[in-house]
Amino acid sequence: DQVLTLNGNVELLRWEELSNSRWLFAGRFKDLSQVESAELQTLVLEAAIANCLTGVNNPEQKEKIRYFFLADLSHYLDSLRRLSVEVQAHPILRPNLLQQHTERTNEIVRKGHDLLEEINHKTLGQKIKQIFRMTAGHWAFQSEIVSHAYEKPSGYPGDYWLMEKIYSGEPLSTSGISGLFDLYFFYSPYAVAVKKRSQKMSEILEEFIKLNPSSNELNIFNIACGSCCEIHELLPPGILARHLRP
């Protein structure tokens, strides 16, 4: 067994009771040197890979999985560590850092997708995803928005809270790596599609109203959830308060 001695404080992030009086704790080491952080990262990845590769007999697959974690993912985690320091120290550089962050995150997601497509094994693919979330999640889940979207506290994706945050487009974190992940989420195709849908619905409603200029009252049956932001975008607040009925 490999033993690594670290000098630093530990911040407890979350905990979960498993079974038979067993608990799972998640924490973050603070005040580690760059060398200690790199050693800890390699140790965690090696242990996770060893468990992931149990039962994998294809040598080529094994090598590709190891390369993805120890080269591609390790490089990505190093970049997140550097970005975290830079964005905290130089907030004015945030737009440039966001572009770097977006390019690197898109790249690692693409490489992970390509690896899963090539392996084409459901159980092994789930293990790879789990390791990726365990390691990259340390950074990504510092964003309350990303964490909420993944954990689905309401039991389903795209709940009211998340939809409203997407419509507003305002990051919950204004600094640090969590702010970059907030913005990355808002610029993702999924979030952009949500806002585009709202804008398109406003255009459809506006066109419908123009086609019925002589009508004193329009009945529009809108089957949806949320705050009906497409109507809020279309009509001034005063008109909403006086003329809309539930």
Side-chain angles (χ1 to χ4, degrees), residues 1 3 9 17 19 21 31 43 45-46 70 73 78 90 113 132 136 151 193 200 207 217 226:
D1 294 337
V3 177
N9 298 318
E17 186 175 8
S19 61
S21 300
D31 306 321
L43 182 63
L45 286 175
E46 287 279 10
L70 295 178
L73 180 58
D78 290 340
H90 307 288
H113 177 267
F132 180 85
E151 294 182 348
K200 184 62 178 178
E207 186 65 23
E217 181 177 294

Side-chain angles (χ1 to χ4, degrees), residues 47-103:
I49 293 169
N51 179 61
C52 176
L53 293 179
T54 301
V56 179
N57 299 318
N58 187 319
E60 186 177 351
Q61 280 191 350
K62 281 187 174 182
E63 184 58 33
K64 288 183 177 180
I65 292 171
R66 287 184 59 83
Y67 186 87
F68 172 74
F69 284 118
L70 295 178
D72 294 332
L73 180 58
S74 184
H75 176 72
Y76 175 66
L77 296 176
D78 290 340
S79 73
L80 290 180
R81 193 178 299 111
R82 289 193 299 270
L83 277 176
S84 179
V85 174
E86 291 180 47
V87 75
Q88 200 73 40
H90 307 288
I92 195 172
L93 299 178
R94 189 176 182 181
N96 294 336
L97 296 177
L98 175 61
Q99 181 177 356
Q100 293 179 31
H101 175 57
T102 300
E103 291 173 353

Side-chain angles (χ1 to χ4, degrees), residues 190-207:
Y190 303 104
V192 171
V194 168
K195 297 197 73 170
K196 290 290 185 182
R197 185 210 69 86
S198 175
Q199 294 168 4
K200 184 62 178 178
M201 283 303 303
S202 293
E203 295 172 5
I204 292 173
L205 288 171
E206 184 176 17
E207 186 65 23

Side-chain angles (χ1 to χ4, degrees), residues 127-140:
K127 289 182 179 180
I128 292 172
K129 288 180 180 180
Q130 185 179 23
I131 297 172
F132 180 85
R133 290 166 182 156
M134 177 188 71
T135 50
H138 160 72
W139 300 98

